Amino acid sequence: VNFADRNIATFPENPHRVSALATPAPEPAAAGVLVGAATAATADADARLGLGRAALPEEVAAWNMDVSPDGTGLPDGSGDVATGESVFEENCAVCHGSFAEGVDNWPKLAGGDGTLADDDPLKTVGSYWPHLSTVWDYVHRSMPFGNAQTLTPDDVYAITAYILYSNDLVDDEFVLSKDNFASFEMPNAGGFIVDDRAETEYPQWRTEPCMENCKESVEITMRATVLDVTPDHGGDDAAAAAEEAAAPAPEAAAEVAAAPEAAPAEAPQEAVEVAAAGEVDAALAAEGEKVFRKCKACHQVGDGATNRTGPLLNGIVGREIGAVDGFKYSSTLEGMSGVWDSDALHGFLANPRGYAKGTKMAFAGLKKPEDIDAVVEYLKTFP
Amino acid sequence: EPDPLITEVQSWASSFGDGVDATPYGLPIKFEDDVIRRNVEWLTADTISSINFTPIHALDGTITPAGCAFERHHSGAIELSKDDYRLMINGLVETPMVFTYADLERFPRENHVYFLECAANTGMEWAGAQLNGAQFTHGMIHNMEYSGIPVRTLLNEAGWSGEVEGKWLYVEGADASSNGRSIPLEKALDDCLVAIKANGEALRKEHGYPARLVVPGWEGNMWVKWIRRMEIMDGPVESREETSKYTDTLADGTSRKWTWVMDAKSVVTSPSPQAPITHGHGPVVITGMAWTGHGKITRVDVSKDGGKTWETARLAADSGDKALVRFYLDTEWNGEEWFLQSRAMDETGYVQPTKAQLREVRGLNSIYHNNCIQTWWVKPNGEAENVEVS
């Protein structure tokens, strides 16, 4: 076998069996290719090249996580609605809302029942998703956003149960497990048809196109500049950029919603002295511990804290910005000077991407200044 | 009046330019610094799971430079080195296998030029004219030359049974989104590739370095980046990306699924809102691009009057298979108002439809797969605007 020749062999079109590879390729070699099909045909194409290695069972188990609509692929486990509510609050609510109603432009997971034929359908897990397996599969592998694959199977069963509860599809006693999973039918399970363009569209559009006198008149029926939602495109009207998010836009592409509310980071009026360790308002810090649940998906504090998706936060208050050893910051944070005093933390936490454009922190921000006060106080307890 | 650029000695004609060591890997000259990808902030909650747009209004030819080819990712563009890369094949195979990047380079490989279009390209225009620029209305597309290994070669190495009927290939990426998709095995065997190079060089990080799936003619979401696993299965997984997203909701509330093929489509890229006519009256080049997931483009017509009359444009080269083709209409403009449109036809006889035709079948909520005829209103001052016309 001359493997070098295989590099320029033409492959047979669409072989339906491996054995097809062994039959002589019917087409002549392309112009300019001197050694071609005939040579390839003499090679034993059924023979494998012997590249790669067998995957070990534990390797396949580690990656082969997909769950099919009939439940194939689910691990053992279970979770109830009440547990799901607290796990959801801790891991999911920052984007999806405490009741799965969605925050800002983040996906709504609940509601929308019966809206699919409306002018503005609300597609949620409850109103749109055809299979429960999809919820489990996606939460298990890809959520929480920025901290994927950290939830246990029981957590995922619980979150899935809570999402069903949020959609009024189960009562608060419901327990989801591997055993009852396949019996659960989603409301929109029957709402999908296989692509029918070949019947409903292609025949009527495969006609000889008109070239002259195709219409009586042409009138403008809609103009993009009326909506005025186009970002600045490097031209001379920089003013457009300022206006870009101002007008409401029709729901558009995947995961698109209306223009988000502008949320400029308002700098606190007065600089606040950074409190030294020991000067901590314990009650406020306790409030902050609750708020910090939103941060825990990515940040650790306390004994044994390490860098995860975000840097460890021990001693963060008063520390130089972008200075935790071993954490790979965005160039933005790395390039910022100054320390994380109250001003800086307020600015950053209110609107991470507004305050530090380019930061890797995917968090949407804390809307309430009192929450920021509380979480800063909590962080002070880890000097 | 003599032109001082000619009559006076200019600095560049007198002193030095850059040495050959100035730019080991070059970027476009500063005068072209507005030819860049752009995103639309209000479109998504976060740039980590978002999309940007190819500046098609400023490009010509057919190959999209990687540095400005649009990106769409669901959990950010990850950094995955060749050393850390693994590709697993499992499921209905004789031996589940693991390949390293170095292994991939030793398989026989092919070269093909293909377009990649996001299913949501032009989706924001479904309900009406909204974004004022070809980059934003049609920029979720790029066209590259891929060097890659046929998927069938890799499956064969794992001892695929040869059974195709009713079988699916589930593919997923190494990033946190995984972006899993199910592909009928027949398609995977037909022309899909695991690409390791694009436009002659390594894939860019944002396009799936070091290896991505190529699914010619089918919606971009299936071209899984950082591909880490392919599993032959008895049925589709019905993942998030193939149920809750990338499905097309019709007027009665039912939704089409498995709408994989990108139908024939074209757009005039210049003149357009971001590329107005600035040179006054006389000769003007109308240009644009066309593509079809069904094979080859056979013809592109252009209308200047909103579809009353059409003339056939000149294709710069014969259409490749499932690849972009460039068209030109070399004409004159003397300050008259134009309603510029283009209309592509492919080798199946399919004619690119109007938005009205699409809406008649699909209603107003079907966001994906909008391949309608686009209209640019070129005004007497040479500026152009995105409009809908009767």
Side-chain angles (χ1 to χ4, degrees), chain B residues 335-355:
Chain B
E336 66 272 28
E337 190 176 65
W338 277 349
F339 292 104
L340 261 187
Q341 300 183 333
S342 65
R343 177 177 72 186
M345 275 148 274
D346 72 19
E347 61 180 321
T348 70
Y350 181 96
V351 181
Q352 183 181 359
T354 63
K355 208 183 278 187

mmCIF file of all heavy atoms in Angstrom, chain B residues 335-355:
data_model
loop_
_atom_site.group_PDB
_atom_site.id
_atom_site.type_symbol
_atom_site.label_atom_id
_atom_site.label_comp_id
_atom_site.label_asym_id
_atom_site.label_seq_id
_atom_site.Cartn_x
_atom_site.Cartn_y
_atom_site.Cartn_z
ATOM 1 N N GLY B 335 -27.998 59.391 -11.511
ATOM 2 C CA GLY B 335 -28.738 60.076 -10.462
ATOM 3 C C GLY B 335 -30.176 59.627 -10.346
ATOM 4 O O GLY B 335 -30.937 60.184 -9.544
ATOM 5 N N GLU B 336 -30.559 58.630 -11.110
ATOM 6 C CA GLU B 336 -31.941 58.181 -10.977
ATOM 7 C C GLU B 336 -32.100 57.301 -9.727
ATOM 8 O O GLU B 336 -31.141 56.743 -9.215
ATOM 9 C CB GLU B 336 -32.405 57.424 -12.238
ATOM 10 C CG GLU B 336 -31.711 56.111 -12.502
ATOM 11 C CD GLU B 336 -30.429 56.270 -13.317
ATOM 12 O OE1 GLU B 336 -29.791 57.336 -13.254
ATOM 13 O OE2 GLU B 336 -30.055 55.284 -13.999
ATOM 14 N N GLU B 337 -33.340 57.209 -9.274
ATOM 15 C CA GLU B 337 -33.655 56.381 -8.119
ATOM 16 C C GLU B 337 -33.690 54.921 -8.549
ATOM 17 O O GLU B 337 -34.298 54.578 -9.562
ATOM 18 C CB GLU B 337 -35.035 56.818 -7.625
ATOM 19 C CG GLU B 337 -35.456 56.277 -6.324
ATOM 20 C CD GLU B 337 -36.811 56.878 -5.922
ATOM 21 O OE1 GLU B 337 -37.815 56.621 -6.599
ATOM 22 O OE2 GLU B 337 -36.836 57.621 -4.938
ATOM 23 N N TRP B 338 -33.011 54.080 -7.777
ATOM 24 C CA TRP B 338 -33.043 52.648 -8.059
ATOM 25 C C TRP B 338 -33.666 51.891 -6.892
ATOM 26 O O TRP B 338 -33.464 52.271 -5.736
ATOM 27 C CB TRP B 338 -31.616 52.100 -8.242
ATOM 28 C CG TRP B 338 -31.009 52.283 -9.600
ATOM 29 C CD1 TRP B 338 -31.617 52.691 -10.746
ATOM 30 C CD2 TRP B 338 -29.627 52.068 -9.933
ATOM 31 N NE1 TRP B 338 -30.719 52.734 -11.786
ATOM 32 C CE2 TRP B 338 -29.491 52.357 -11.315
ATOM 33 C CE3 TRP B 338 -28.505 51.657 -9.227
ATOM 34 C CZ2 TRP B 338 -28.275 52.246 -11.988
ATOM 35 C CZ3 TRP B 338 -27.290 51.541 -9.886
ATOM 36 C CH2 TRP B 338 -27.174 51.831 -11.260
ATOM 37 N N PHE B 339 -34.371 50.834 -7.236
ATOM 38 C CA PHE B 339 -34.724 49.834 -6.223
ATOM 39 C C PHE B 339 -33.999 48.562 -6.635
ATOM 40 O O PHE B 339 -34.490 47.775 -7.441
ATOM 41 C CB PHE B 339 -36.243 49.628 -6.143
ATOM 42 C CG PHE B 339 -36.957 50.834 -5.606
ATOM 43 C CD1 PHE B 339 -37.656 51.692 -6.442
ATOM 44 C CD2 PHE B 339 -36.898 51.115 -4.245
ATOM 45 C CE1 PHE B 339 -38.286 52.810 -5.936
ATOM 46 C CE2 PHE B 339 -37.538 52.237 -3.734
ATOM 47 C CZ PHE B 339 -38.233 53.096 -4.576
ATOM 48 N N LEU B 340 -32.787 48.407 -6.087
ATOM 49 C CA LEU B 340 -31.875 47.353 -6.536
ATOM 50 C C LEU B 340 -32.227 46.010 -5.905
ATOM 51 O O LEU B 340 -32.349 45.909 -4.681
ATOM 52 C CB LEU B 340 -30.449 47.703 -6.117
ATOM 53 C CG LEU B 340 -29.508 48.329 -7.123
ATOM 54 C CD1 LEU B 340 -28.111 48.425 -6.510
ATOM 55 C CD2 LEU B 340 -29.480 47.554 -8.423
ATOM 56 N N GLN B 341 -32.337 45.008 -6.739
ATOM 57 C CA GLN B 341 -32.603 43.651 -6.259
ATOM 58 C C GLN B 341 -31.738 42.660 -7.025
ATOM 59 O O GLN B 341 -31.318 42.943 -8.145
ATOM 60 C CB GLN B 341 -34.077 43.272 -6.483
ATOM 61 C CG GLN B 341 -35.077 44.173 -5.766
ATOM 62 C CD GLN B 341 -36.508 43.710 -5.968
ATOM 63 O OE1 GLN B 341 -36.823 43.076 -6.973
ATOM 64 N NE2 GLN B 341 -37.375 44.031 -5.012
ATOM 65 N N SER B 342 -31.495 41.513 -6.428
ATOM 66 C CA SER B 342 -30.862 40.415 -7.162
ATOM 67 C C SER B 342 -31.655 39.137 -6.899
ATOM 68 O O SER B 342 -32.311 39.010 -5.866
ATOM 69 C CB SER B 342 -29.406 40.236 -6.740
ATOM 70 O OG SER B 342 -29.321 39.840 -5.383
ATOM 71 N N ARG B 343 -31.574 38.236 -7.863
ATOM 72 C CA ARG B 343 -32.397 37.017 -7.820
ATOM 73 C C ARG B 343 -31.550 35.860 -8.351
ATOM 74 O O ARG B 343 -31.105 35.895 -9.493
ATOM 75 C CB ARG B 343 -33.622 37.255 -8.700
ATOM 76 C CG ARG B 343 -34.567 36.091 -8.850
ATOM 77 C CD ARG B 343 -35.775 36.492 -9.692
ATOM 78 N NE ARG B 343 -35.440 36.660 -11.111
ATOM 79 C CZ ARG B 343 -36.283 37.122 -12.050
ATOM 80 N NH1 ARG B 343 -37.513 37.487 -11.706
ATOM 81 N NH2 ARG B 343 -35.904 37.238 -13.299
ATOM 82 N N ALA B 344 -31.303 34.877 -7.485
ATOM 83 C CA ALA B 344 -30.440 33.753 -7.865
ATOM 84 C C ALA B 344 -31.264 32.557 -8.324
ATOM 85 O O ALA B 344 -32.385 32.345 -7.872
ATOM 86 C CB ALA B 344 -29.576 33.341 -6.669
ATOM 87 N N MET B 345 -30.672 31.810 -9.233
ATOM 88 C CA MET B 345 -31.262 30.538 -9.661
ATOM 89 C C MET B 345 -30.207 29.453 -9.527
ATOM 90 O O MET B 345 -29.032 29.707 -9.799
ATOM 91 C CB MET B 345 -31.723 30.614 -11.117
ATOM 92 C CG MET B 345 -33.109 31.192 -11.272
ATOM 93 S SD MET B 345 -33.270 32.092 -12.825
ATOM 94 C CE MET B 345 -32.649 33.691 -12.324
ATOM 95 N N ASP B 346 -30.634 28.235 -9.126
ATOM 96 C CA ASP B 346 -29.642 27.171 -9.009
ATOM 97 C C ASP B 346 -29.932 26.023 -9.962
ATOM 98 O O ASP B 346 -30.905 26.054 -10.721
ATOM 99 C CB ASP B 346 -29.489 26.705 -7.552
ATOM 100 C CG ASP B 346 -30.676 25.889 -7.033
ATOM 101 O OD1 ASP B 346 -31.467 25.352 -7.855
ATOM 102 O OD2 ASP B 346 -30.807 25.788 -5.806
ATOM 103 N N GLU B 347 -29.075 25.024 -9.922
ATOM 104 C CA GLU B 347 -29.142 23.946 -10.902
ATOM 105 C C GLU B 347 -30.367 23.056 -10.742
ATOM 106 O O GLU B 347 -30.640 22.234 -11.609
ATOM 107 C CB GLU B 347 -27.862 23.100 -10.851
ATOM 108 C CG GLU B 347 -27.604 22.427 -9.509
ATOM 109 C CD GLU B 347 -26.321 21.596 -9.536
ATOM 110 O OE1 GLU B 347 -26.066 20.955 -10.559
ATOM 111 O OE2 GLU B 347 -25.589 21.605 -8.533
ATOM 112 N N THR B 348 -31.113 23.213 -9.660
ATOM 113 C CA THR B 348 -32.360 22.452 -9.534
ATOM 114 C C THR B 348 -33.528 23.201 -10.154
ATOM 115 O O THR B 348 -34.659 22.720 -10.133
ATOM 116 C CB THR B 348 -32.704 22.177 -8.047
ATOM 117 O OG1 THR B 348 -33.095 23.410 -7.419
ATOM 118 C CG2 THR B 348 -31.530 21.577 -7.301
ATOM 119 N N GLY B 349 -33.277 24.427 -10.669
ATOM 120 C CA GLY B 349 -34.347 25.224 -11.241
ATOM 121 C C GLY B 349 -35.023 26.124 -10.226
ATOM 122 O O GLY B 349 -35.958 26.860 -10.542
ATOM 123 N N TYR B 350 -34.542 26.083 -9.004
ATOM 124 C CA TYR B 350 -35.103 26.904 -7.920
ATOM 125 C C TYR B 350 -34.791 28.374 -8.191
ATOM 126 O O TYR B 350 -33.674 28.731 -8.534
ATOM 127 C CB TYR B 350 -34.478 26.453 -6.609
ATOM 128 C CG TYR B 350 -34.955 27.163 -5.358
ATOM 129 C CD1 TYR B 350 -35.966 26.625 -4.566
ATOM 130 C CD2 TYR B 350 -34.358 28.351 -4.950
ATOM 131 C CE1 TYR B 350 -36.375 27.260 -3.400
ATOM 132 C CE2 TYR B 350 -34.762 28.987 -3.784
ATOM 133 C CZ TYR B 350 -35.770 28.445 -3.013
ATOM 134 O OH TYR B 350 -36.174 29.067 -1.869
ATOM 135 N N VAL B 351 -35.793 29.227 -8.016
ATOM 136 C CA VAL B 351 -35.628 30.661 -8.190
ATOM 137 C C VAL B 351 -35.812 31.335 -6.830
ATOM 138 O O VAL B 351 -36.824 31.108 -6.151
ATOM 139 C CB VAL B 351 -36.663 31.230 -9.183
ATOM 140 C CG1 VAL B 351 -36.452 32.728 -9.372
ATOM 141 C CG2 VAL B 351 -36.584 30.493 -10.514
ATOM 142 N N GLN B 352 -34.829 32.132 -6.437
ATOM 143 C CA GLN B 352 -34.901 32.824 -5.143
ATOM 144 C C GLN B 352 -36.225 33.567 -5.013
ATOM 145 O O GLN B 352 -36.586 34.374 -5.865
ATOM 146 C CB GLN B 352 -33.722 33.798 -5.033
ATOM 147 C CG GLN B 352 -33.652 34.524 -3.698
ATOM 148 C CD GLN B 352 -32.478 35.500 -3.646
ATOM 149 O OE1 GLN B 352 -31.706 35.627 -4.600
ATOM 150 N NE2 GLN B 352 -32.341 36.197 -2.533
ATOM 151 N N PRO B 353 -36.975 33.316 -3.923
ATOM 152 C CA PRO B 353 -38.314 33.898 -3.789
ATOM 153 C C PRO B 353 -38.292 35.319 -3.221
ATOM 154 O O PRO B 353 -37.291 35.771 -2.668
ATOM 155 C CB PRO B 353 -38.997 32.953 -2.795
ATOM 156 C CG PRO B 353 -37.878 32.458 -1.933
ATOM 157 C CD PRO B 353 -36.658 32.388 -2.833
ATOM 158 N N THR B 354 -39.421 35.997 -3.327
ATOM 159 C CA THR B 354 -39.596 37.290 -2.654
ATOM 160 C C THR B 354 -39.984 37.040 -1.201
ATOM 161 O O THR B 354 -40.393 35.934 -0.836
ATOM 162 C CB THR B 354 -40.717 38.112 -3.314
ATOM 163 O OG1 THR B 354 -41.950 37.387 -3.166
ATOM 164 C CG2 THR B 354 -40.440 38.343 -4.782
ATOM 165 N N LYS B 355 -39.896 38.085 -0.396
ATOM 166 C CA LYS B 355 -40.291 37.943 1.010
ATOM 167 C C LYS B 355 -41.785 37.621 1.086
ATOM 168 O O LYS B 355 -42.226 36.853 1.941
ATOM 169 C CB LYS B 355 -39.966 39.225 1.776
ATOM 170 C CG LYS B 355 -39.687 38.987 3.255
ATOM 171 C CD LYS B 355 -39.441 40.276 4.013
ATOM 172 C CE LYS B 355 -38.020 40.786 3.872
ATOM 173 N NZ LYS B 355 -37.749 41.950 4.759
#
